[in-house]
Amino acid sequence: MNSILITGGAGFIGSHLTRLFVTKYPNYNIINLDALTYAGNLANLKDVANSTNYTFVKGDITDMELVKSLFDKYNFTGVLHCAAESHVDRSITDPLAFVKTNVNGTVALLQAAKDHWKGQMEGKLFYHISTDEVYGSLGADGFFTEETAYDPRSPYSASKASSDHFVRAYYHTFGLPVKISNCSNNYGPYHFPEKLIPLCIHNIINKKPLPIYGKGENVRDWLFVEDHARAIDVIFHKGRIGETYNIGGHNEWTNIALVKELCHQMDQKLGRAAGENEELITYVKDRAGHDLRYAIDSTKLKVELGWVPSLQFEEGLSKTIDWYLNNSEWLADVTSGTYQKYYEGMYG
Ligand code: NAD
Ligand code: DAU
């Protein structure tokens, strides 16, 4: 039986990945290690929580003793490393938290894997989930490829770039079998409402202002989260050791065009007059160091492993809005902090 450690499995992408692996691979033993920060929510995994091949461990990836003890206990053959501080705005107010989890936490996991797999690296895999933000910011043209030089510009992207470098260092120096993927912006169910799309969905429902940074001209390349999880599955099983794969949606939107599309779809879904939601759009002070444009070239993944996104954006966005409208309790809980109080009571 394969024994797989997923870190950050209670977060947005981690929960989709955990669900996919638990349901698709009943012969894998999946251990989800998550600190349950504000971004981690066990409600994201309610449907698989009782599966016999799934175990949840509340803990911090920077806790070396804990990480080592989990390797000893479960004899992991693979690691899918998702846990991170993930929000750029928070990295501007508290960079050190990002260094701690994203850099120190990643190195703690690498070190534990290296020590535990010493002399028996064959068949093992450390898969690091990273971001396109490590490549910096594009102008009007061009795409990020796997060869694009790193040029991180926020504390978040600098911490992720650093973690990518450590993963490669462990590959080259210690022969640790690693893979890295760098993905563009994800969207979909269970996305924490501090990020643009779920924040705007939440605010539209409540007729609150939709804050657009600067002029709204920044461009992001959006991918449905289940397509990201599928790509990770393919790379995990079929990608080449030591390689990097870029994952993206070929789906670029300026923030303002995206928010207008969201307003339009939600006018219809909420039975509001055409244009009513757009009146909520409010231009606010720009994010410091705001990257202008991200766009991924995922040709390598397509040609080598046959992965392509499955959903058109308008369809994915519609599915996402419907999910939030049908899961108002989830949204109310995460915005009221009820779930964090629950964890404090449950885990101390
Ligand atoms: P998220 O913030 O929704 O979830 C992060 C999870 O990690 C949470 O469950 C949190 O509790 C857990 N966590 C945080 N610190 C921890 C620690 N010290 N120890 C253990 N667990 C901890 O993040 P996400 O958006 O799902 O992103 C997951 C990964 O994918 C990150 O590595 C991120 O850099 C990367 N990524 C995200 C996107 C995106 O659009 N969201 C795109 C590309 C790559
Ligand atoms: O590209 C991948 C990255 O995408 C991931 O690595 C990050 O973890 C993830 O958070 C995301 O980063 P962004 O900064 O692109 O996502 P965010 O949703 O915060 O912002 C998307 C765009 O919308 C960005 O240009 C900033 C803008 N924005 C964001 C918020 C929260 C606004 O205009 N208003 C807002 O209120």
Side-chain angles (χ1 to χ4, degrees):
M1 181 185 249
N2 277 309
S3 177
I4 313 270
L5 171 66
I6 300 185
T7 68
F12 169 47
I13 295 168
S15 62
H16 287 277
L17 193 58
T18 301
R19 177 175 301 99
L20 179 68
F21 270 64
V22 168
T23 54
K24 185 170 174 187
Y25 303 107
N27 59 329
Y28 288 7
N29 194 21
I30 306 293
I31 315 301
N32 171 15
L33 170 62
D34 196 301
L36 299 179
T37 67
Y38 78 94
N41 185 353
L42 288 181
N44 298 359
L45 287 167
K46 235 173 21 197
D47 51 332
V48 294
N50 295 323
S51 305
T52 51
N53 63 335
Y54 171 76
T55 304
F56 173 70
V57 178
K58 183 180 184 298
D60 198 310
I61 56 167
T62 63
D63 181 345
M64 192 72 210
E65 287 314 306
L66 170 70
V67 171
K68 276 187 177 169
S69 73
L70 293 176
F71 267 88
D72 288 340
K73 181 170 179 187
Y74 293 106
N75 243 326
F76 300 125
T77 50
V79 176
L80 279 162
H81 176 33
C82 261
E85 289 291 343
S86 70
H87 192 37
V88 174
D89 293 327
R90 287 180 190 256
S91 82
I92 296 168
T93 50
D94 186 9
L96 290 182
F98 285 67
V99 175
K100 180 170 185 269
T101 287
N102 299 359
V103 185
N104 298 355
T106 301
V107 178
L109 290 164
L110 288 165
Q111 186 67 15
K114 169 182 92 67
D115 290 347
H116 193 80
W117 294 341
K118 194 174 178 191
Q120 35 178 346
M121 300 279 186
E122 188 66 34
K124 310 296 192 305
L125 178 60
F126 189 104
Y127 186 136
H128 179 58
I129 285 132
S130 193
T131 172
D132 60 358
E133 299 201 12
V134 298
Y135 298 122
S137 181
L138 291 164
D141 304 316
F143 296 91
F144 297 134
T145 73
E146 289 81 0
E147 274 72 49
T148 303
Y150 274 32
D151 183 23
R153 295 150 53 101
S154 74
Y156 163 69
S157 53
S159 68
K160 291 296 291 186
S162 172
S163 65
D164 292 10
H165 289 321
F166 271 106
V167 173
R168 291 196 184 96
Y170 271 68
Y171 170 66
H172 289 291
T173 308
F174 304 113
L176 192 77
V178 306
K179 295 178 190 177
I180 300 179
S181 56
N182 296 80
C183 189
S184 62
N185 286 62
N186 286 213
Y187 70 98
Y190 302 112
H191 204 183
F192 195 82
E194 65 184 352
K195 309 279 168 67
L196 181 69
I197 290 180
L199 177 99
C200 287
I201 293 175
H202 179 244
N203 286 9
I204 290 172
I205 293 170
N206 294 292
K207 298 193 175 178
K208 283 164 60 179
L210 309 177
I212 305 293
Y213 297 163
K215 294 182 180 158
E217 285 166 357
N218 303 68
V219 175
R220 296 293 183 265
D221 171 3
W222 293 94
L223 178 71
F224 193 61
V225 61
E226 288 177 10
D227 277 334
H228 186 189
R230 267 195 320 108
I232 294 170
D233 178 18
V234 172
I235 297 166
F236 184 85
H237 289 99
K238 299 192 182 135
R240 286 179 290 141
I241 299 287
E243 291 289 318
T244 295
Y245 294 88
N246 280 357
I247 310 171
H250 267 298
N251 175 44
E252 292 181 48
W253 288 73
T254 61
N255 293 335
I256 188 64
L258 184 153
V259 171
K260 284 186 176 171
E261 170 67 21
L262 198 57
C263 288
H264 168 67
Q265 288 203 19
M266 289 188 72
D267 279 340
Q268 294 176 340
K269 288 179 193 288
L270 293 169
R272 293 182 186 165
E276 190 177 333
N277 289 327
E278 273 196 27
E279 285 171 23
L280 299 169
I281 290 175
T282 309
Y283 292 92
V284 299
K285 188 168 173 278
D286 208 351
R287 172 184 280 172
H290 198 172
D291 289 339
L292 177 66
R293 175 172 165 256
Y294 305 143
I296 279 278
D297 178 347
S298 52
T299 307
K300 177 175 174 181
L301 180 56
K302 181 179 171 186
V303 170
E304 226 178 81
L305 303 176
W307 175 92
V308 285
S310 72
L311 276 188
Q312 291 298 311
F313 185 62
E314 286 80 354
E315 186 191 348
L317 194 63
S318 172
K319 265 178 89 162
T320 303
I321 298 166
D322 289 345
W323 185 86
Y324 280 92
L325 293 177
N326 294 329
N327 288 273
S328 48
E329 207 178 313
W330 182 93
L331 199 50
D333 277 356
V334 298
T335 47
S336 74
T338 304
Y339 79 109
Q340 284 217 297
K341 282 196 200 96
Y342 163 76
Y343 291 138
E344 277 158 27
M346 179 92 171
Y347 298 102

